[in-house]
Amino acid sequence: MKFNIPADVPKNKVAFYKRNLKAVTNGKNRLMLFAGDQKVEHLNNDFYGKGIPLEDNSPEHMFKIASKAKIGVFATQFGLISRYGRDYQNIPYLVKLNSKTNLVPYEKQDPYSEAWLSVGDVVDFAKTSGLDIKGVGYTLYLGGEHEHSMLAQAARIVHEAHKNGLLAVLWIYPKGAFVKDEHNGHLIAGAAGVGAALGADFVKLKVPFNKKENFDVEALREVTTAAGRSGVLCEGGAKVDEKTFLTELYEQIHKGGSRGNGTGRNIHQRALKEAIKMANAIYAITCEDATVKEAMKLLK
Amino acid sequence: MKFNIPADVPKNKVAFYKRNLKAVTNGKNRLMLFAGDQKVEHLNNDFYGKGIPLEDNSPEHMFKIASKAKIGVFATQFGLISRYGRDYQNIPYLVKLNSKTNLVPYEKQDPYSEAWLSVGDVVDFAKTSGLDIKGVGYTLYLGGEHEHSMLAQAARIVHEAHKNGLLAVLWIYPKGAFVKDEHNGHLIAGAAGVGAALGADFVKLKVPFNKKENFDVEALREVTTAAGRSGVLCEGGAKVDEKTFLTELYEQIHKGGSRGNGTGRNIHQRALKEAIKMANAIYAITCEDATVKEAMKLLK
Amino acid sequence: MKFNIPADVPKNKVAFYKRNLKAVTNGKNRLMLFAGDQKVEHLNNDFYGKGIPLEDNSPEHMFKIASKAKIGVFATQFGLISRYGRDYQNIPYLVKLNSKTNLVPYEKQDPYSEAWLSVGDVVDFAKTSGLDIKGVGYTLYLGGEHEHSMLAQAARIVHEAHKNGLLAVLWIYPKGAFVKDEHNGHLIAGAAGVGAALGADFVKLKVPFNKKENFDVEALREVTTAAGRSGVLCEGGAKVDEKTFLTELYEQIHKGGSRGNGTGRNIHQRALKEAIKMANAIYAITCEDATVKEAMKLLK
Amino acid sequence: MKFNIPADVPKNKVAFYKRNLKAVTNGKNRLMLFAGDQKVEHLNNDFYGKGIPLEDNSPEHMFKIASKAKIGVFATQFGLISRYGRDYQNIPYLVKLNSKTNLVPYEKQDPYSEAWLSVGDVVDFAKTSGLDIKGVGYTLYLGGEHEHSMLAQAARIVHEAHKNGLLAVLWIYPKGAFVKDEHNGHLIAGAAGVGAALGADFVKLKVPFNKKENFDVEALREVTTAAGRSGVLCEGGAKVDEKTFLTELYEQIHKGGSRGNGTGRNIHQRALKEAIKMANAIYAITCEDATVKEAMKLLK
Amino acid sequence: MKFNIPADVPKNKVAFYKRNLKAVTNGKNRLMLFAGDQKVEHLNNDFYGKGIPLEDNSPEHMFKIASKAKIGVFATQFGLISRYGRDYQNIPYLVKLNSKTNLVPYEKQDPYSEAWLSVGDVVDFAKTSGLDIKGVGYTLYLGGEHEHSMLAQAARIVHEAHKNGLLAVLWIYPKGAFVKDEHNGHLIAGAAGVGAALGADFVKLKVPFNKKENFDVEALREVTTAAGRSGVLCEGGAKVDEKTFLTELYEQIHKGGSRGNGTGRNIHQRALKEAIKMANAIYAITCEDATVKEAMKLLK
């Protein structure tokens, strides 16, 4: 595997950066990101209710999955990592640096999600705690009065991560009153380009839809090309059946040029054993070159 | 008692953190928080008026109670602690770092409560003054244009507290024009999850209500599970009769899974002797495994 | 006299703090504050116009009074002190750290008055200039979108003042579209409690009125009790005849429990000699236990 | 000449401050300020168009005038000084620290003009470049939602200037929807008082008008007295004929008590030779005790 | 070539500044800036669609052009440089420090584009990476509620660049509800003057139009004179045919007094070979004194 090392990774951090990138991608340059930041983003909606097993209501459910399944990184907030980290030291963590709730509709107030802590805090924390922190994540919303502030924070975070040999993943979503269709491929390609201009290692994006609101593979190719050397992670979205999910994931990677996925609900909204299997199946396609068929076998 | 030590408490502060946690919970991992921050939050409404003894109007009333009753911590603003602290050195304090007044309705302007001082100031103050400061507190309001700023301050405060071996308690309330029912259990569970994602030791929340506006124990179980390793403190609320109060408290803990309570008016809106007895009764249920009957005896 | 030393005054500053407090209160624990910050607060309205002697138009008029009359402190802005200080070195100064103009009505834009300089600047200035600076002052307006910022600045200023052995006086006024009656005693008691929670040494407040818009002594007792160990200074207000003024001042102190007054216009809107006498009379009642009759004699 | 040295000029800077004050006032304590900050304030309106010589369109025109005429200081932005300074080393500069354009009417958005650089930057620049920098300037607008921020910046700038022995000139203008008549003398006197409270060495103000919109000398006396020890500079305003200009200037100083003037357009909107003569004439009245007649001779 | 060295370039950086200026202008004091910041400014509109070759969709297309064509500098965001820099070390880079998307119309929200990183970050990056960074760029929009902030950032950036011997290019555009015609020559001359007041080395501006919306050479002369010693770069704009483009460029320089151009779409919206030829032709006119005819030959 040939690595693309950003020029802002200093010499004495290149080996550490490579190690991190290789570890989280299984040497395939593709990332399976287990997304666990919804306790803030969606409040308790994703964790309690019809069709969700009761055990998902406890934050520990995700830690159990992350510690027993094959994953690239488990992305969640600093506070959860600090409360469960001592008991789950084998998990490769990605610290999601910001989050906001869903109480206010995007059309009513332009969204603003501010970094809770700095990359420096994360670097110190990794040292102090001995936890295996591979990188940091940050969500930015394009198209509102706070865009400038989130762009500046994102650029700072990516750069500080690289200076410390860590990976930086950006979640980028155009939002607000002036955004008509957030699944429009050309718009998502624009978001991908923003991620590239920010120097992100990976960019988590919405999936482009065709007019029938189905995944549009051609549009995804525009997106992944526009992203340049920043790998595109397709959003997992709401829970669907396993085969549909895995087939789409396979096509995103092998036809659309995506370099991984960020999946939360499709994993943790299952009982522990099932969740682990599903994570393993996703990992197999993303990082072990498995076919859909091979991945489906892992679910049994 | 097994302690859950957050991973951001550094090695050389773990013993101090444990000591603080054990002290304020009587080794039961449950917290009786005597809430005394209403001089700002409610101006003089809670301290002077019909049914309130005249002595409650002086801030010293609360210090007298806190120094003579059994409590976990007395939570109040820095300035009051600085003015009375030299005369009340035996009180275990929790410095409430922010407060706002109630002059502007939540629906008219999104609430913003900014930290008055930093955790660093508190740490230095503890050293300089020799006072027994166990932790810090911070209120955040979810669902408005200042949410981002309060989330960031809360995360910073929890992390800095832990780095110094102190406890961090968050008051978390969804508020504003987009919040329809702040006693909705699912919404409060969301707030609990935010507290967990912020790494709080304890989260003070509204009590979930059923449709008849009574305490809903099942809903509280959703809340306390969603909070993970952050202990839920139920808000004491307006003054009610002793038996009702203590019975509900007992159920919150033993049926709902709460890990304590934050009570102000139900204690300080009584003459000194009565207030001390009431505090002791609350403490007995929260931290001494008392039954309601046993607690009621302490009132006599 | 027994001093209440705030716990955030460090050991090596306690003697200096005591000296300052004793000096400005004449050992009576009551403060006569000569308020000279209106050049900004009221622009030139208080200094030029019908019934105001021409000499009051020059800022030096107030320095002359302050240097020749008995006063506790002369409160004015840093810039005026810096321009006149070398010629008026005997004045005990209180640096008013913020001010705003009256051009915009409170109902049209929520007021915001930001600190111009820090307590650190004042401490350095005292050293460099050798001037006799006893403390600092800050105005905060409760009840608007900038309340959070002024509360945080006020807390910082009080704490930094104490750390340096200086006194801190807060002017606290509920203001804005949601404040219906700023002379309501219960509301003013709330403001007093805020001052206490901020740890202020003295709080300058509006005078509570009864329904006939006269001074309400009973309401003042609610206020001064709610203020705890922070001394209440009643606002001097617009110019009235001497006897009325002094009688009310006497009652505020001896019946209402106030611990001083903040007077500007009732002093400086007189020719120099008369102004000095009036200041002395106010001082006599406030800090020398004089009766109204005794004070009136000083005017002759 | 007796100097008024502000008390915040430290001992080791007093001699430098005196030298600066003496140099720019020709020992007369009055300042002729050649105002050259309109490239931003008025965009290109003052430099190109009907009645303006073509050479005024190049910024160098002002540098040529400033280097050949008698002036107190040439006030312009840092960037222009940095681009022309190496070729015009004999000019006494005053760095205008802020500026805003005139694109948005004052009534539509409350004006905010932020400092571009700090006094510290200017001090370092003076050292590095060897240029003759006498002081700094800052414009503040009273009466809008940004007043607080500009007041704080102005206070900081005046104090930092004094700490470094530099002069500080403030341009102070009440503006915005709540200001009805910006030539009202009583209002301008208020602005003068604000300048005094900020400790400015000189305050540049609008000229007070009578009801016929002519210069009102009596009103100016209210203004200059209210300014205390801060010298009032009358704004030069739009170009008028020489005699009118110089006569008014003479009266402002000798009848109205102003201590100088800030003139731009009436100088630079002339061909080089004429501009130099006009500057010299203004200087003669301001700093050489010339009569109008004597000054008029210099124009020939 | 005689260099205009800004006075804020310190002695020990003058040689480096001269080297940078000479290199990027080919010793002709004119700059050919290859503009590649549109991935954010225009999202993916400039890179994918009708009439745009597919290869332009990958950010690497611009790096290939920049590394093989003659250019002054390649201006793009930090993140893209960090991701491609190790493979394109021969490119002279200009780090564009800010960018915003085009999602919100200028009339709906006043535009604000904040610097993503500081000049200090760029200086450190140049050292760490060994890349050939010649300068920095920043866009500011005049005429809205964020003007003050962008003016302050621009001034800071120009000054910090000079202190480090780097060039500073400003993109200056009046925008917003109060700007009626952004191709008005007098308005653009105002923007040029702002650039001069900020001390920019080069200012990228809109092209002034006459009433028929064609390039107005006389108006450009007002602009370039008003810019003083800051060189005016005319915006390349949307793609047009080669001859039209080059002829206009020639006239801008030789008749209008511009000192270069900033061109993006007219270069990168071509297949690699054609793009390189077009860049070389632009360079020939700008920096090699070529005629239009000579430049046209290079396209064959």
Side-chain angles (χ1 to χ4, degrees), chain B residues 1 20 30 40 47 89 101 110 122 200 202-203 246-247 266:
Chain B
M1 173 187 175
N20 283 329
R30 291 196 295 266
V40 182
F47 299 96
Q89 302 209 14
T101 73
D110 286 337
V122 172
F202 292 93
V203 194
L246 296 172
T247 306
N266 274 286

Side-chain angles (χ1 to χ4, degrees), chain B residues 142-160:
Chain B
L142 303 176
E145 61 173 327
H146 306 294
E147 180 192 285
H148 64 90
S149 184
M150 287 182 278
L151 283 168
Q153 283 182 54
R156 167 69 49 208
I157 284 167
V158 172
H159 182 44
E160 298 296 332

